[in-house]
Amino acid sequence: MQYSMGIDAGGTYTDSVIIRDSDGAVIDSNKALTTYPDLLEGIKNSLDGLDQEYLTKVKLVSVSTTLSTNTILEKTGYPVALLMIGDYSIPEGHSIDNSVVIKGGHGSYGEEIAPLDEQAIRDYVTKMKENVSAFAISSYFSIRNPNHELRAKEIVKEITGMPVICGHELSQALGAYERGVTAYLNAQLIPITSQFIETVIGEMERRNINARLLMLKCDGSVVGIEEAKEKPIESIFSGPAASLVGASYLSDSPTCLAIDVGGTSTDVAMINDGLPEITDRGAVVGGWQTKVQALRMETSAMGGDSHVWIKAQKINIGPRRVMPLCVAASKWPSIIDKLKLSRTPSKMQMCENIQPTKFFVKTGKEIPNISKLEKEILDNIGEEPVSVTEIFIDRLPSPLLLDRLIQKRLVQAIGFTPTDALHVLGEYDAWNAEASRIGANTLGRLTFLEKSKFSKTVKSKFAHNMALYIMAYLLRKVDKEEIETIIANQKEFYSHFKVDVPVILLGGPVSAYVNEVNELLDADIILPEHAEVGNAVGAVVGKGIKRVEILIRTISKGNKAGIMMFSPHGRQKFPSYPDALEAAEKLGREIVLEYMKEAGLDREDVKVEVSKQEIKLHEGSGLPVETKLTFVGIGMPEIEK
């Protein structure tokens, strides 16, 4: 008997599952708290909770992780230098630390606009090689002709021997600056991802797991580990991708909407006939617009660990994430007495960081250069949680300075959350419910609500938010405020929304929200078995998906005429349109099948679908001015025998 294992290192939990290969059944699973900054400890704890007899029979391991996303959001990537070749227009206020514009680049037909300034490349690379860990290169219209990127890569390799990433290697989409950003971020992530992968491999060896290792990408497909090392940018948002694939698998619904309630956020995405819906724009992460193909998602900054706080008797949820009181009390029992004795600040002082149920504890992270005032606050925060009134006896600390310490990961915030509300209502019991009840009682007094009514109100607001983002995803052209108005006033309108595809709920305590969401939406809401570890299921059941675009253009420019084909392999000229079309169809399939082979996917079972879009000058005219062929290959991972 052989098995496959999925591991999802998420924002709050690291989940692991074992799936029996013979029938695809989930036979074991476990959850453990994710550990920062070293994810390995959380992975070890998760695997320790599985039946160890299965592990040595595992022949395929697939991983999804927040590592790339968090690295970009926290700005902790390795230093990189970006070479931009051509007539670049760089946005003002960009956040790229090391960059240079080099003469060169190509036009929209792949013709050279200016010769590549190789000496300028040598001078810049020689100056920067001691200060960076990798280089990224983006050339103007490299998707039409990558020669300048490839030559620049040769020069950098010759001088430094360091990793070098080219924009055309990551994307064939228009947008030279965005391809440069994608290459820049990818280069930052390579050392971190390589270290993570080697660590996972080491843990597999320690446990005598002799299996193929794959990683989930942000479009819901799996990739071989070597490509995962080279293109770690493609693993951003792999958590939501894992949720979507897992939701489809667990509910046996090839077309469905998945809503994943995590600790930090609530994500909505859709899979249609087994293929996740992809955004046309490319993924946006940490304010960076990339050219990475990713799920089309609606993401709300409201998750199970979002901070519930009071201002002017109003209940607010998020957007900041905190450690729930119930979790903190399980780790530090002393917080119970502190909650009982906690003083309520004045109404004027109340804000997200100044709350009677908010506590702070040091993370143990190495302290960088911080201001004198930041250090004064940090010195009064210990290894056990302290309330805001304990930090300074004579005055409250500055909310702004507390914010800075949280953003620098020097301090962990603790507070009341929707997870605590479920503990108060008896609908979730994973942690210390006494802390949740005391917290609800304290905040309830500020809103003139008994603790159960207060918790029901928090739960209701959370369910309302889930319904809002489900409909915002489906009604993409409708303003969120209009959707919210309808959801909030449906009794008055005598109507509510109907959803025509199954809605699959995933996440730890989502079972608590089924009835509330059903009251807000007319939908087939499904809570599948193993919903609490759906991400890990998605990590291991993901298919190999490869998308390739090839463009054929009729060129009539001056004395130049002919048919040009532009592909990931470069450009090629043909004497006729049928010749170009035949070559494109052959090349597209070859690229898909070669990708499947290199990724360790089963070529024999690969299905390739081809779609064609033509642009003609007018209806009934002869040859198209432009033809775009899109190849989508789907394959299943091979399992080690």
Side-chain angles (χ1 to χ4, degrees), residues 245-267:
V245 175
S248 177
Y249 182 85
L250 290 173
S251 64
D252 195 22
S253 303
T255 298
C256 64
L257 197 76
I259 179 162
D260 179 26
V261 178
T264 307
S265 63
T266 295
D267 302 313

Side-chain angles (χ1 to χ4, degrees), residues 359-378:
F359 295 82
F360 303 89
V361 65
K362 282 182 180 176
T363 61
K365 181 180 174 182
E366 185 177 339
I367 301 173
N369 291 329
I370 58 175
S371 70
K372 182 180 178 181
L373 291 174
E374 288 173 340
K375 186 177 186 304
E376 187 181 4
I377 292 177
L378 192 60

Side-chain angles (χ1 to χ4, degrees), residues 388-425:
V388 289
T389 54
E390 288 179 287
I391 294 175
F392 295 128
I393 300 300
D394 55 340
R395 68 187 191 279
L396 291 176
S398 161
L400 181 60
L401 293 177
L402 283 169
D403 251 356
R404 288 181 192 169
L405 293 173
I406 293 169
Q407 289 172 352
K408 292 175 181 178
R409 305 298 192 270
L410 298 175
V411 166
Q412 165 75 60
I414 300 165
F416 194 87
T417 67
T419 298
D420 287 298
L422 295 183
H423 277 74
V424 174
L425 298 172

Side-chain angles (χ1 to χ4, degrees), residues 275-339:
L275 286 178
E277 283 197 359
I278 304 299
T279 178
D280 296 330
R281 295 180 60 228
V284 179
V285 56
W288 297 98
Q289 174 66 63
T290 76
K291 286 297 180 182
V292 177
Q293 285 191 324
L295 299 183
R296 183 173 79 84
M297 285 193 306
E298 280 288 338
T299 299
S300 161
M302 189 185 291
D305 294 348
S306 293
H307 185 211
V308 177
W309 53 287
I310 309 300
K311 178 70 174 177
Q313 299 176 13
K314 179 185 175 184
I315 300 173
N316 302 280
I317 305 180
R320 290 292 180 84
R321 173 187 171 190
V322 296
M323 181 186 292
L325 292 173
C326 54
V327 176
S330 297
K331 187 173 183 178
W332 299 288
S334 62
I335 202 172
I336 297 285
D337 289 334
K338 292 189 175 188
L339 268 169

Side-chain angles (χ1 to χ4, degrees), residues 172-356:
Q172 287 292 299
L174 291 170
Y177 177 70
E178 289 77 11
R179 286 198 307 276
V181 165
T182 306
Y184 176 78
L185 296 176
N186 191 81
Q188 285 189 331
L189 296 169
I190 285 176
I192 295 169
T193 302
S194 294
Q195 183 181 10
F196 170 74
I197 289 171
E198 292 303 321
T199 302
V200 173
I201 290 173
E203 181 63 13
M204 288 168 58
E205 290 175 349
R206 188 180 75 83
R207 294 175 182 268
N208 296 317
I209 300 173
N210 181 23
R212 182 184 302 282
L213 180 60
L214 303 176
M215 185 171 280
L216 197 78
K217 294 165 55 179
C218 55
D219 64 355
S221 67
V222 291
V223 65
I225 213 62
E226 291 307 315
E227 182 160 344
K229 288 181 182 179
E230 293 175 5
K231 301 178 180 180
I233 188 70
E234 294 183 344
S235 68
I236 57 172
F237 302 136
S238 65
S243 300
L244 179 61
V245 175
S248 177
Y249 182 85
L250 290 173
S251 64
D252 195 22
S253 303
T255 298
C256 64
L257 197 76
I259 179 162
D260 179 26
V261 178
T264 307
S265 63
T266 295
D267 302 313
V268 182
M270 186 170 178
I271 192 166
N272 198 333
D273 197 21
L275 286 178
E277 283 197 359
I278 304 299
T279 178
D280 296 330
R281 295 180 60 228
V284 179
V285 56
W288 297 98
Q289 174 66 63
T290 76
K291 286 297 180 182
V292 177
Q293 285 191 324
L295 299 183
R296 183 173 79 84
M297 285 193 306
E298 280 288 338
T299 299
S300 161
M302 189 185 291
D305 294 348
S306 293
H307 185 211
V308 177
W309 53 287
I310 309 300
K311 178 70 174 177
Q313 299 176 13
K314 179 185 175 184
I315 300 173
N316 302 280
I317 305 180
R320 290 292 180 84
R321 173 187 171 190
V322 296
M323 181 186 292
L325 292 173
C326 54
V327 176
S330 297
K331 187 173 183 178
W332 299 288
S334 62
I335 202 172
I336 297 285
D337 289 334
K338 292 189 175 188
L339 268 169
K340 292 176 180 177
L341 299 173
S342 180
R343 289 182 293 163
T344 300
S346 70
K347 292 179 181 179
M348 294 293 293
Q349 293 172 315
M350 294 273 275
C351 62
E352 186 173 5
N353 272 329
I354 307 297
Q355 295 284 308

